[in-house]
Amino acid sequence: MSDEASPAVKAVITDWGGVLTSPLADAIDVWLAADRIDVQHYKRVMRAWVKQAYDGAGTNPIHGLEDGSLAVDEFERLLAAELLTVDGGPVAAAGLIARMFGSFSPVQPMYDALRAARAYGTRTALLSNSWGNEYPHDLFADLFDAVVISSEVGMRKPDERIFRHALELLGTDPAECVFIDDIEHNIRAAERLGIRGIHHTSPDTTIAELRALGLLA
C-alpha cells in the first residue's frame, strides 16, 4: 500500500434534483395525489423504467428524455399512456413534467455549504440529468463554475463521458474531485473513474462529509 496521501479535494460536482432540492419522492407524492394517479400502477411502471435506465440493459424513454434525443412532450405522451387515474381513467399528458416537479423547493443549507466551499477556493459544478424540468438558473450564477445539464450536452449519468466532460470544464483530475448525488448508481459510476463519492441522504450528513474533507469550517 502506498504511503502517499490522497490528493486534496479541489472541486465539488453535485447533482440538483434530490440534493439541492427537496426529495424527489416528496414531489412525486404531491403530484400523484393532485392528479389522482393510481399509485401502485405508477410505481410498477416507473420502477421498471428506472431500473432499465440505470442498469444499462436496453433503452426506454428515460434515456431519450435525459440525453435530449426525445422531446419532452413526447415523453409526457408515452408516460401518460402507461398511467391510470384511481378511477381507471386517462392521465393528462400536457404539462405532466411541470406537475411532477412542481413542489420542488431549494434546500438552503446545501446552497450555503456550496457557497462556503467555493469561498475557500474550491471549484464547483452542477451535473444534472434533466427531465425537461425548469432549473433555477438565477440561483446558479454565484454558485457554480460550470453547469452541465444532460439534455444540453447529449450525455447522461451514469455514462462516464459526462463525468469526464464536467472534470474537463473544472480543470481537475478525478482524484481531486468529490461528487454528490442521491442515486447510488451514479456514485458508483463516478468512483470507477477515481472521483470520490458522497451518496446524499440528507443535508446534515453530506455537509458533515464536506467538512471532513476540509471544505468547510
Side-chain angles (χ1 to χ4, degrees), residues 45-70:
V45 171
M46 193 53 65
R47 190 178 295 120
W49 279 21
V50 169
K51 184 176 188 300
Q52 187 180 54
Y54 285 91
D55 282 355
T59 60
N60 65 36
I62 290 178
H63 294 83
L65 180 66
E66 291 183 339
D67 70 16
S69 62
L70 181 69

PDB file of all heavy atoms in Angstrom, residues 45-70:
ATOM      1  N   VAL A  45     -44.711   0.839 -13.172  1.00  0.00           N
ATOM      2  CA  VAL A  45     -44.210   1.365 -14.447  1.00  0.00           C
ATOM      3  C   VAL A  45     -42.859   2.036 -14.260  1.00  0.00           C
ATOM      4  O   VAL A  45     -41.880   1.742 -14.961  1.00  0.00           O
ATOM      5  CB  VAL A  45     -45.218   2.360 -15.060  1.00  0.00           C
ATOM      6  CG1 VAL A  45     -44.602   3.077 -16.260  1.00  0.00           C
ATOM      7  CG2 VAL A  45     -46.494   1.647 -15.467  1.00  0.00           C
ATOM      8  N   MET A  46     -42.781   2.944 -13.295  1.00  0.00           N
ATOM      9  CA  MET A  46     -41.564   3.739 -13.131  1.00  0.00           C
ATOM     10  C   MET A  46     -40.414   2.907 -12.594  1.00  0.00           C
ATOM     11  O   MET A  46     -39.253   3.121 -12.979  1.00  0.00           O
ATOM     12  CB  MET A  46     -41.840   4.932 -12.217  1.00  0.00           C
ATOM     13  CG  MET A  46     -40.747   5.982 -12.245  1.00  0.00           C
ATOM     14  SD  MET A  46     -40.304   6.572 -13.910  1.00  0.00           S
ATOM     15  CE  MET A  46     -41.836   7.385 -14.394  1.00  0.00           C
ATOM     16  N   ARG A  47     -40.716   1.944 -11.735  1.00  0.00           N
ATOM     17  CA  ARG A  47     -39.651   1.079 -11.222  1.00  0.00           C
ATOM     18  C   ARG A  47     -38.976   0.339 -12.374  1.00  0.00           C
ATOM     19  O   ARG A  47     -37.748   0.237 -12.428  1.00  0.00           O
ATOM     20  CB  ARG A  47     -40.222   0.092 -10.205  1.00  0.00           C
ATOM     21  CG  ARG A  47     -39.160  -0.702  -9.439  1.00  0.00           C
ATOM     22  CD  ARG A  47     -39.813  -1.611  -8.414  1.00  0.00           C
ATOM     23  NE  ARG A  47     -40.500  -0.848  -7.368  1.00  0.00           N
ATOM     24  CZ  ARG A  47     -41.795  -0.944  -7.106  1.00  0.00           C
ATOM     25  NH1 ARG A  47     -42.566  -1.758  -7.804  1.00  0.00           N
ATOM     26  NH2 ARG A  47     -42.316  -0.232  -6.134  1.00  0.00           N
ATOM     27  N   ALA A  48     -39.757  -0.171 -13.315  1.00  0.00           N
ATOM     28  CA  ALA A  48     -39.201  -0.895 -14.460  1.00  0.00           C
ATOM     29  C   ALA A  48     -38.415   0.037 -15.369  1.00  0.00           C
ATOM     30  O   ALA A  48     -37.312  -0.296 -15.816  1.00  0.00           O
ATOM     31  CB  ALA A  48     -40.328  -1.574 -15.243  1.00  0.00           C
ATOM     32  N   TRP A  49     -38.942   1.231 -15.629  1.00  0.00           N
ATOM     33  CA  TRP A  49     -38.245   2.180 -16.490  1.00  0.00           C
ATOM     34  C   TRP A  49     -36.927   2.644 -15.875  1.00  0.00           C
ATOM     35  O   TRP A  49     -35.896   2.695 -16.558  1.00  0.00           O
ATOM     36  CB  TRP A  49     -39.142   3.397 -16.744  1.00  0.00           C
ATOM     37  CG  TRP A  49     -40.179   3.211 -17.798  1.00  0.00           C
ATOM     38  CD1 TRP A  49     -40.665   2.012 -18.263  1.00  0.00           C
ATOM     39  CD2 TRP A  49     -40.879   4.238 -18.518  1.00  0.00           C
ATOM     40  NE1 TRP A  49     -41.634   2.246 -19.206  1.00  0.00           N
ATOM     41  CE2 TRP A  49     -41.780   3.594 -19.391  1.00  0.00           C
ATOM     42  CE3 TRP A  49     -40.838   5.618 -18.483  1.00  0.00           C
ATOM     43  CZ2 TRP A  49     -42.633   4.305 -20.240  1.00  0.00           C
ATOM     44  CZ3 TRP A  49     -41.681   6.334 -19.332  1.00  0.00           C
ATOM     45  CH2 TRP A  49     -42.565   5.691 -20.198  1.00  0.00           C
ATOM     46  N   VAL A  50     -36.947   2.991 -14.592  1.00  0.00           N
ATOM     47  CA  VAL A  50     -35.737   3.499 -13.927  1.00  0.00           C
ATOM     48  C   VAL A  50     -34.682   2.404 -13.829  1.00  0.00           C
ATOM     49  O   VAL A  50     -33.493   2.646 -14.057  1.00  0.00           O
ATOM     50  CB  VAL A  50     -36.080   4.074 -12.545  1.00  0.00           C
ATOM     51  CG1 VAL A  50     -34.813   4.353 -11.743  1.00  0.00           C
ATOM     52  CG2 VAL A  50     -36.903   5.350 -12.692  1.00  0.00           C
ATOM     53  N   LYS A  51     -35.099   1.185 -13.492  1.00  0.00           N
ATOM     54  CA  LYS A  51     -34.144   0.080 -13.389  1.00  0.00           C
ATOM     55  C   LYS A  51     -33.430  -0.125 -14.720  1.00  0.00           C
ATOM     56  O   LYS A  51     -32.207  -0.254 -14.774  1.00  0.00           O
ATOM     57  CB  LYS A  51     -34.854  -1.211 -12.970  1.00  0.00           C
ATOM     58  CG  LYS A  51     -33.903  -2.398 -12.748  1.00  0.00           C
ATOM     59  CD  LYS A  51     -34.676  -3.609 -12.246  1.00  0.00           C
ATOM     60  CE  LYS A  51     -33.716  -4.734 -11.830  1.00  0.00           C
ATOM     61  NZ  LYS A  51     -32.863  -5.203 -12.932  1.00  0.00           N
ATOM     62  N   GLN A  52     -34.188  -0.126 -15.797  1.00  0.00           N
ATOM     63  CA  GLN A  52     -33.577  -0.313 -17.111  1.00  0.00           C
ATOM     64  C   GLN A  52     -32.684   0.873 -17.476  1.00  0.00           C
ATOM     65  O   GLN A  52     -31.602   0.706 -18.040  1.00  0.00           O
ATOM     66  CB  GLN A  52     -34.668  -0.483 -18.170  1.00  0.00           C
ATOM     67  CG  GLN A  52     -34.133  -0.855 -19.553  1.00  0.00           C
ATOM     68  CD  GLN A  52     -35.250  -1.023 -20.560  1.00  0.00           C
ATOM     69  OE1 GLN A  52     -36.066  -0.132 -20.739  1.00  0.00           O
ATOM     70  NE2 GLN A  52     -35.291  -2.171 -21.225  1.00  0.00           N
ATOM     71  N   ALA A  53     -33.115   2.073 -17.118  1.00  0.00           N
ATOM     72  CA  ALA A  53     -32.342   3.276 -17.462  1.00  0.00           C
ATOM     73  C   ALA A  53     -30.985   3.296 -16.788  1.00  0.00           C
ATOM     74  O   ALA A  53     -30.006   3.811 -17.343  1.00  0.00           O
ATOM     75  CB  ALA A  53     -33.134   4.527 -17.080  1.00  0.00           C
ATOM     76  N   TYR A  54     -30.886   2.733 -15.573  1.00  0.00           N
ATOM     77  CA  TYR A  54     -29.630   2.808 -14.837  1.00  0.00           C
ATOM     78  C   TYR A  54     -28.861   1.504 -14.795  1.00  0.00           C
ATOM     79  O   TYR A  54     -27.683   1.503 -14.444  1.00  0.00           O
ATOM     80  CB  TYR A  54     -29.894   3.349 -13.427  1.00  0.00           C
ATOM     81  CG  TYR A  54     -30.145   4.840 -13.465  1.00  0.00           C
ATOM     82  CD1 TYR A  54     -31.439   5.336 -13.613  1.00  0.00           C
ATOM     83  CD2 TYR A  54     -29.102   5.744 -13.422  1.00  0.00           C
ATOM     84  CE1 TYR A  54     -31.669   6.701 -13.700  1.00  0.00           C
ATOM     85  CE2 TYR A  54     -29.322   7.108 -13.497  1.00  0.00           C
ATOM     86  CZ  TYR A  54     -30.603   7.577 -13.639  1.00  0.00           C
ATOM     87  OH  TYR A  54     -30.827   8.925 -13.739  1.00  0.00           O
ATOM     88  N   ASP A  55     -29.480   0.400 -15.185  1.00  0.00           N
ATOM     89  CA  ASP A  55     -28.747  -0.865 -15.248  1.00  0.00           C
ATOM     90  C   ASP A  55     -28.049  -1.047 -16.589  1.00  0.00           C
ATOM     91  O   ASP A  55     -27.201  -1.917 -16.740  1.00  0.00           O
ATOM     92  CB  ASP A  55     -29.683  -2.058 -15.006  1.00  0.00           C
ATOM     93  CG  ASP A  55     -30.021  -2.241 -13.540  1.00  0.00           C
ATOM     94  OD1 ASP A  55     -29.452  -1.495 -12.725  1.00  0.00           O
ATOM     95  OD2 ASP A  55     -30.838  -3.108 -13.218  1.00  0.00           O
ATOM     96  N   GLY A  56     -28.427  -0.241 -17.572  1.00  0.00           N
ATOM     97  CA  GLY A  56     -27.756  -0.282 -18.863  1.00  0.00           C
ATOM     98  C   GLY A  56     -28.232  -1.379 -19.794  1.00  0.00           C
ATOM     99  O   GLY A  56     -27.625  -1.613 -20.826  1.00  0.00           O
ATOM    100  N   ALA A  57     -29.322  -2.062 -19.445  1.00  0.00           N
ATOM    101  CA  ALA A  57     -29.836  -3.134 -20.302  1.00  0.00           C
ATOM    102  C   ALA A  57     -30.964  -2.591 -21.163  1.00  0.00           C
ATOM    103  O   ALA A  57     -32.084  -2.408 -20.701  1.00  0.00           O
ATOM    104  CB  ALA A  57     -30.331  -4.299 -19.438  1.00  0.00           C
ATOM    105  N   GLY A  58     -30.666  -2.295 -22.428  1.00  0.00           N
ATOM    106  CA  GLY A  58     -31.686  -1.757 -23.315  1.00  0.00           C
ATOM    107  C   GLY A  58     -31.931  -0.279 -23.068  1.00  0.00           C
ATOM    108  O   GLY A  58     -31.245   0.361 -22.274  1.00  0.00           O
ATOM    109  N   THR A  59     -32.907   0.263 -23.769  1.00  0.00           N
ATOM    110  CA  THR A  59     -33.237   1.682 -23.620  1.00  0.00           C
ATOM    111  C   THR A  59     -34.745   1.842 -23.454  1.00  0.00           C
ATOM    112  O   THR A  59     -35.521   0.963 -23.803  1.00  0.00           O
ATOM    113  CB  THR A  59     -32.793   2.501 -24.852  1.00  0.00           C
ATOM    114  OG1 THR A  59     -33.456   2.000 -26.017  1.00  0.00           O
ATOM    115  CG2 THR A  59     -31.287   2.408 -25.039  1.00  0.00           C
ATOM    116  N   ASN A  60     -35.131   2.965 -22.914  1.00  0.00           N
ATOM    117  CA  ASN A  60     -36.543   3.318 -22.791  1.00  0.00           C
ATOM    118  C   ASN A  60     -36.651   4.838 -22.819  1.00  0.00           C
ATOM    119  O   ASN A  60     -35.633   5.524 -22.977  1.00  0.00           O
ATOM    120  CB  ASN A  60     -37.148   2.691 -21.519  1.00  0.00           C
ATOM    121  CG  ASN A  60     -36.538   3.232 -20.232  1.00  0.00           C
ATOM    122  OD1 ASN A  60     -36.206   4.410 -20.127  1.00  0.00           O
ATOM    123  ND2 ASN A  60     -36.372   2.369 -19.249  1.00  0.00           N
ATOM    124  N   PRO A  61     -37.851   5.407 -22.691  1.00  0.00           N
ATOM    125  CA  PRO A  61     -37.981   6.866 -22.840  1.00  0.00           C
ATOM    126  C   PRO A  61     -37.138   7.694 -21.889  1.00  0.00           C
ATOM    127  O   PRO A  61     -36.821   8.852 -22.205  1.00  0.00           O
ATOM    128  CB  PRO A  61     -39.479   7.080 -22.604  1.00  0.00           C
ATOM    129  CG  PRO A  61     -40.128   5.817 -23.080  1.00  0.00           C
ATOM    130  CD  PRO A  61     -39.168   4.733 -22.656  1.00  0.00           C
ATOM    131  N   ILE A  62     -36.762   7.171 -20.734  1.00  0.00           N
ATOM    132  CA  ILE A  62     -35.935   7.946 -19.804  1.00  0.00           C
ATOM    133  C   ILE A  62     -34.596   8.292 -20.438  1.00  0.00           C
ATOM    134  O   ILE A  62     -34.102   9.424 -20.301  1.00  0.00           O
ATOM    135  CB  ILE A  62     -35.740   7.197 -18.474  1.00  0.00           C
ATOM    136  CG1 ILE A  62     -37.059   7.168 -17.691  1.00  0.00           C
ATOM    137  CG2 ILE A  62     -34.639   7.849 -17.628  1.00  0.00           C
ATOM    138  CD1 ILE A  62     -36.994   6.400 -16.385  1.00  0.00           C
ATOM    139  N   HIS A  63     -33.993   7.345 -21.155  1.00  0.00           N
ATOM    140  CA  HIS A  63     -32.717   7.628 -21.809  1.00  0.00           C
ATOM    141  C   HIS A  63     -32.858   8.830 -22.750  1.00  0.00           C
ATOM    142  O   HIS A  63     -32.040   9.758 -22.725  1.00  0.00           O
ATOM    143  CB  HIS A  63     -32.248   6.419 -22.632  1.00  0.00           C
ATOM    144  CG  HIS A  63     -31.893   5.210 -21.833  1.00  0.00           C
ATOM    145  ND1 HIS A  63     -32.836   4.314 -21.396  1.00  0.00           N
ATOM    146  CD2 HIS A  63     -30.699   4.733 -21.411  1.00  0.00           C
ATOM    147  CE1 HIS A  63     -32.242   3.334 -20.739  1.00  0.00           C
ATOM    148  NE2 HIS A  63     -30.944   3.576 -20.721  1.00  0.00           N
ATOM    149  N   GLY A  64     -33.879   8.792 -23.594  1.00  0.00           N
ATOM    150  CA  GLY A  64     -34.065   9.863 -24.560  1.00  0.00           C
ATOM    151  C   GLY A  64     -34.387  11.196 -23.915  1.00  0.00           C
ATOM    152  O   GLY A  64     -33.921  12.245 -24.369  1.00  0.00           O
ATOM    153  N   LEU A  65     -35.186  11.164 -22.860  1.00  0.00           N
ATOM    154  CA  LEU A  65     -35.517  12.404 -22.162  1.00  0.00           C
ATOM    155  C   LEU A  65     -34.264  13.018 -21.557  1.00  0.00           C
ATOM    156  O   LEU A  65     -34.022  14.219 -21.678  1.00  0.00           O
ATOM    157  CB  LEU A  65     -36.546  12.122 -21.062  1.00  0.00           C
ATOM    158  CG  LEU A  65     -37.000  13.329 -20.245  1.00  0.00           C
ATOM    159  CD1 LEU A  65     -37.790  14.312 -21.112  1.00  0.00           C
ATOM    160  CD2 LEU A  65     -37.849  12.885 -19.060  1.00  0.00           C
ATOM    161  N   GLU A  66     -33.438  12.186 -20.913  1.00  0.00           N
ATOM    162  CA  GLU A  66     -32.269  12.707 -20.220  1.00  0.00           C
ATOM    163  C   GLU A  66     -31.163  13.156 -21.158  1.00  0.00           C
ATOM    164  O   GLU A  66     -30.454  14.123 -20.862  1.00  0.00           O
ATOM    165  CB  GLU A  66     -31.749  11.659 -19.231  1.00  0.00           C
ATOM    166  CG  GLU A  66     -32.700  11.446 -18.061  1.00  0.00           C
ATOM    167  CD  GLU A  66     -32.188  10.477 -17.015  1.00  0.00           C
ATOM    168  OE1 GLU A  66     -31.289   9.658 -17.333  1.00  0.00           O
ATOM    169  OE2 GLU A  66     -32.677  10.519 -15.881  1.00  0.00           O
ATOM    170  N   ASP A  67     -30.997  12.468 -22.299  1.00  0.00           N
ATOM    171  CA  ASP A  67     -29.913  12.903 -23.205  1.00  0.00           C
ATOM    172  C   ASP A  67     -30.397  13.880 -24.276  1.00  0.00           C
ATOM    173  O   ASP A  67     -29.616  14.299 -25.140  1.00  0.00           O
ATOM    174  CB  ASP A  67     -29.183  11.707 -23.828  1.00  0.00           C
ATOM    175  CG  ASP A  67     -30.012  10.927 -24.848  1.00  0.00           C
ATOM    176  OD1 ASP A  67     -31.044  11.424 -25.329  1.00  0.00           O
ATOM    177  OD2 ASP A  67     -29.604   9.789 -25.170  1.00  0.00           O
ATOM    178  N   GLY A  68     -31.659  14.256 -24.225  1.00  0.00           N
ATOM    179  CA  GLY A  68     -32.180  15.271 -25.127  1.00  0.00           C
ATOM    180  C   GLY A  68     -32.617  14.771 -26.477  1.00  0.00           C
ATOM    181  O   GLY A  68     -33.035  15.572 -27.326  1.00  0.00           O
ATOM    182  N   SER A  69     -32.554  13.462 -26.713  1.00  0.00           N
ATOM    183  CA  SER A  69     -32.937  12.923 -28.017  1.00  0.00           C
ATOM    184  C   SER A  69     -34.439  12.672 -28.140  1.00  0.00           C
ATOM    185  O   SER A  69     -34.937  12.389 -29.234  1.00  0.00           O
ATOM    186  CB  SER A  69     -32.162  11.630 -28.315  1.00  0.00           C
ATOM    187  OG  SER A  69     -32.452  10.627 -27.355  1.00  0.00           O
ATOM    188  N   LEU A  70     -35.174  12.768 -27.036  1.00  0.00           N
ATOM    189  CA  LEU A  70     -36.625  12.608 -27.038  1.00  0.00           C
ATOM    190  C   LEU A  70     -37.261  13.896 -26.532  1.00  0.00           C
ATOM    191  O   LEU A  70     -36.910  14.380 -25.450  1.00  0.00           O
ATOM    192  CB  LEU A  70     -37.033  11.436 -26.138  1.00  0.00           C
ATOM    193  CG  LEU A  70     -38.535  11.119 -26.052  1.00  0.00           C
ATOM    194  CD1 LEU A  70     -39.041  10.568 -27.383  1.00  0.00           C
ATOM    195  CD2 LEU A  70     -38.809  10.126 -24.928  1.00  0.00           C
TER     196      LEU A  70
END
